[in-house]
Amino acid sequence: METILQAKDISKTYHTGSVDVYALKKCSVEFGKGEFTAIIGKSGSGKSTLLRCINHLETPTSGKILFHGEEVKNTQSSLTKYRSQVGMVFQSFNLFPQYTVLRNVTLAKELLVKEECKKNKLSREDKKNKLAAISTEAIKIIESVGLRDKTENYPCELSGGQQQRVAIARALMLSPQLLCFDEPTSALDPEITGEVLNVIRKLAQDGKTMLIVTHEMGFAREVSNKVIYMHEGVIAEEGTPEEIFDNPKSDRL
Ligand code: ADP
Ligand code: MG
């Protein structure tokens, strides 16, 4: 299996006042193409910090991230390129309230394409065609998450589950090679959780490489190929869902 991303000995320490919080301690993990990895563990065990370090939304205190074998450097150009290839869906959706669903989904890609047009000095006509293609693609993706009739609505007019599906569509728009979810259903009512999990399940069936922090153990067990159990900032156990759920090594797990 082709390895997409490797995290090597990632540590993260937060200094708050006079105390140091060792949020991650030398965590190493690899993600192969098409793999669906679930990260579980109790609150405060470092799951979000690991995800944020993998995305480089947070700079690790030590250790490195390799993307296709190449170290992700902490420079603006390296990070901009990297972030368009590793997507993130947050617990709290983080949509732009002032934009329609369609605009939320197209915005990042439009900025990238405009930049590319400027850099390559493309004609006005070419630029127009490229931007039109973005809208067409966005509508297809919005349709794939079941929201075709909501393209012109604003986030406040949608349910939490619908907003989260827009956030997933927005992340998919950049065709990320790795898509990360941090507790995507924790802010949702139980009856709405299913509609978001269904979208993620479908992406898994399509072979998308994904990483999900979740408390939905049934879902993790059913859909993932690999489960990581975190405890106090370390990867305490890692294995197939069968190994982790049927034969845990620690009593705690
Ligand atoms: P989880 O997602 O598993 O609940 P987190 O990764 O959010 O855990 O947090 C791991 C530890 O790091 C916790 O002790 C938390 O309080 C601490 N932590 C997380 N983010 C920060 C921050 N920005 N500043 C200080 N401490 C933090
Ligand atoms: Mg968290």
Side-chain angles (χ1 to χ4, degrees), residues 4-185:
I4 291 191
L5 190 137
Q6 291 165 279
K8 285 196 168 171
D9 289 332
I10 299 292
S11 296
K12 179 71 188 179
T13 310
Y14 292 107
H15 308 283
T16 45
S18 57
V19 257
D20 288 345
V21 179
Y22 298 93
L24 292 179
K25 300 169 217 166
K26 290 195 165 251
C27 292
S28 295
V29 60
E30 287 191 15
F31 304 102
K33 194 172 166 120
E35 243 183 349
F36 187 108
T37 307
I39 303 182
I40 60 172
K42 69 176 187 199
S43 179
S45 57
K47 305 178 301 294
S48 294
T49 306
L50 180 62
L51 220 59
R52 294 170 61 81
C53 283
I54 284 172
N55 271 275
H56 257 281
L57 292 170
E58 200 91 71
T59 309
T61 309
S62 63
K64 51 187 166 185
I65 305 290
L66 304 179
F67 189 61
H68 292 286
E70 224 172 278
E71 185 174 352
V72 181
K73 300 257 168 54
N74 208 9
T75 62
Q76 198 54 53
S77 63
S78 174
L79 289 182
T80 304
K81 189 164 161 232
Y82 179 67
R83 291 211 184 104
S84 69
Q85 291 170 323
V86 179
M88 181 86 161
V89 174
F90 302 92
Q91 182 181 343
S92 50
F93 329 134
N94 294 2
L95 298 175
F96 291 110
Q98 74 273 37
Y99 295 141
T100 62
V101 165
L102 183 62
R103 186 106 182 91
N104 264 283
V105 175
T106 55
L107 189 63
K109 185 80 175 265
E110 274 179 17
L111 291 175
L112 282 176
V113 164
K114 280 179 187 164
E115 216 166 89
E116 185 195 313
C117 289
K118 202 167 152 191
K119 208 170 99 192
N120 300 327
K121 301 199 170 72
L122 293 189
S123 70
R124 199 172 274 217
E125 187 66 21
D126 282 347
K127 185 170 156 185
K128 210 175 115 197
N129 290 339
K130 276 181 182 284
L131 291 177
I134 291 176
S135 275
T136 312
E137 193 190 346
I139 288 171
K140 251 190 233 157
I141 291 178
I142 293 168
E143 189 159 26
S144 78
V145 299
L147 294 173
R148 178 65 183 91
D149 56 337
K150 300 289 183 196
T151 48
E152 292 309 319
N153 285 85
Y154 288 85
C156 65
E157 298 167 334
L158 305 180
S159 72
Q162 289 169 336
Q163 289 186 52
Q164 191 58 302
R165 285 187 278 149
V166 175
I168 294 172
R170 175 177 63 179
L172 289 173
M173 191 65 199
L174 297 177
S175 317
Q177 295 187 34
L178 176 69
L179 186 50
C180 303
F181 298 86
D182 193 357
E183 299 194 27
T185 60

Side-chain angles (χ1 to χ4, degrees), residues 23 39-48 183 213-215 217 228-234 236 252-253:
I39 303 182
I40 60 172
K42 69 176 187 199
S43 179
S45 57
K47 305 178 301 294
S48 294
E183 299 194 27
V213 173
T214 185
H215 294 296
M217 295 302 154
I228 287 174
Y229 169 58
M230 294 199 63
H231 181 67
E232 293 181 353
V234 301
R252 214 182 298 116
L253 174 56

